[in-house]
Each structure stands twice: as structure tokens, then as C-alpha cells.
Amino acid sequence: MAKNILIVDDAAFMRMMIKDILSKNGYNVVGEAENGLKAIEKYNELQPDLVLMDITMPEMDGIAALKQIKAANGGALVIMCSAMGQQAMVIESIQAGAKDFIVKPFQAERVLEAVKKVVG
């Protein structure tokens, strides 16, 4: 059965790229959000199997959204994405409960590898 995935990124072209990679490989993109606040809303509404979330976004960043989603649903599976390969952000994400971390610009193989590792 196809896994349902929520994509969260403030850049529409990034969401489109990720959606394209996932859709072509049998995953079901159930929703998109452009900031952390919308991500929490969409997560609660859609209950996806996995969330791919950018870190740097307006209104609420990905780490704050990750913490809120995990607080409400401990079993939530989230993979963080960021253009900045900043060690501190990667560590903070993992400590907050992220299952993996993808650095932009990403290769399709790396996205699929992370998704397969987390949701099979």
C-alpha cells in the first residue's frame, strides 16, 4: 500500500520537486504546507504516514513544528530538509524526534533512500 506523505516547504518549486520524486516512485502525496503552522494543521487533518519538512520557513520554523507534532503524536514520522548543512540544526532536529535529515539541493536517490528507511 502506498504511504501517505505531507510535504512542508516555503518554496513552491521545492514542494513540486519532492512531490514529483515521490509520486514517480509510488508514494502518495496527500498534502502540502508552506510553513510550520500550516504543517501542524495539515498533519492533524490528514494524519500522514510521513512528513518531509523544511527547517527554515516563515511564521513557524520546521523544528518548532516538529516539536509540536511530536508532542501531540509521539509516533509521528518526520524527515527534516534544509539547505544549510548546519550541524547544530541537524542535531536539534534529531533530538526533537526527526527520523532523518536531507540536505538541499537533494538528489532523488537520497530523498527515496531516507523515505524508504523511515516508512519502508
Side-chain angles (χ1 to χ4, degrees):
M1 196 176 102
K3 296 292 183 185
N4 293 330
I5 301 177
L6 172 63
I7 300 171
V8 185
D9 196 306
D10 57 327
F13 77 95
M14 286 311 274
R15 293 196 307 269
M16 197 176 71
M17 267 178 53
I18 298 167
K19 185 176 186 173
D20 192 52
I21 292 167
L22 295 171
S23 300
K24 282 181 179 160
N25 287 277
Y27 293 98
N28 186 19
V29 176
V30 290
E32 296 180 24
E34 64 278 359
N35 63 51
L37 292 172
K38 290 256 182 0
I40 294 163
E41 207 174 279
K42 289 271 192 194
Y43 184 87
N44 294 331
E45 177 193 322
L46 303 166
Q47 298 291 310
D49 298 309
L50 175 68
V51 181
L52 282 176
M53 181 141 40
D54 188 22
I55 289 182
T56 313
M57 296 182 289
E59 293 185 61
M60 179 189 280
D61 70 36
I63 294 173
L66 166 69
K67 288 176 179 170
Q68 285 200 28
I69 288 171
K70 290 296 280 186
N73 183 336
L77 299 175
V78 182
I79 296 174
M80 302 304 283
C81 311
S82 180
M84 299 162 288
Q86 291 176 336
Q87 217 48 43
M89 282 187 160
V90 175
I91 293 163
E92 192 179 348
S93 297
I94 301 299
Q95 286 172 339
K99 295 292 178 200
D100 204 345
F101 194 95
I102 305 169
V103 179
K104 296 177 190 175
F106 21 68
Q107 283 100 12
E109 302 80 56
R110 177 66 188 108
V111 173
L112 293 168
E113 175 192 311
V115 170
K116 277 192 190 99
K117 189 176 98 181
V118 177
V119 292

